Amino acid sequence: MLKDAGIVAILDHHAPPGVQTAGQQFTGHCTSDVEFYTDYNYQRALTWTAVMATVAHLHPDFGSVFAIEAVNEPIMDSSQTPGYGTCE
């Protein structure tokens, strides 16, 4: 419908698995137990990003998607992100 209307879109990871910010309703589960930054949940989000990037590039109905937002309102502590700043 967006493509037909000429509207471009950003796919937003608004509530990634495990909650990315404590005490916020927008995460899908208002809790102080932040677990998105664990290796398990971070990998789940990377897998979902790969799926959505593939769909956005290959499926004609997703032709209006021009970006994928990695995480909506993440915590501001890069030390919590697995592999951030490392070269592997």
Side-chain angles (χ1 to χ4, degrees):
M1 292 183 338
L2 293 173
K3 181 180 163 193
D4 291 343
I7 299 171
V8 294
I10 297 172
L11 295 179
D12 175 24
H13 291 191
H14 204 75
V19 176
Q20 75 271 25
T21 306
Q24 298 293 325
Q25 291 293 343
F26 67 78
T27 64
H29 186 66
C30 189
T31 180
S32 61
D33 191 17
V34 175
E35 292 187 5
F36 169 66
Y37 302 95
T38 64
D39 287 334
Y40 173 73
N41 282 326
Y42 194 73
Q43 186 60 47
R44 289 175 62 205
L46 289 176
T47 300
W48 182 244
T49 301
V51 169
M52 291 312 299
T54 300
V55 169
H57 281 92
L58 298 178
H59 197 290
D61 287 342
F62 283 77
S64 65
V65 172
F66 72 95
I68 298 175
E69 181 181 17
V71 177
N72 178 64
E73 299 185 39
I75 59 173
M76 298 298 179
D77 183 355
S78 63
S79 70
Q80 295 292 313
T81 306
Y84 182 79
T86 61
C87 296
E88 294 181 28

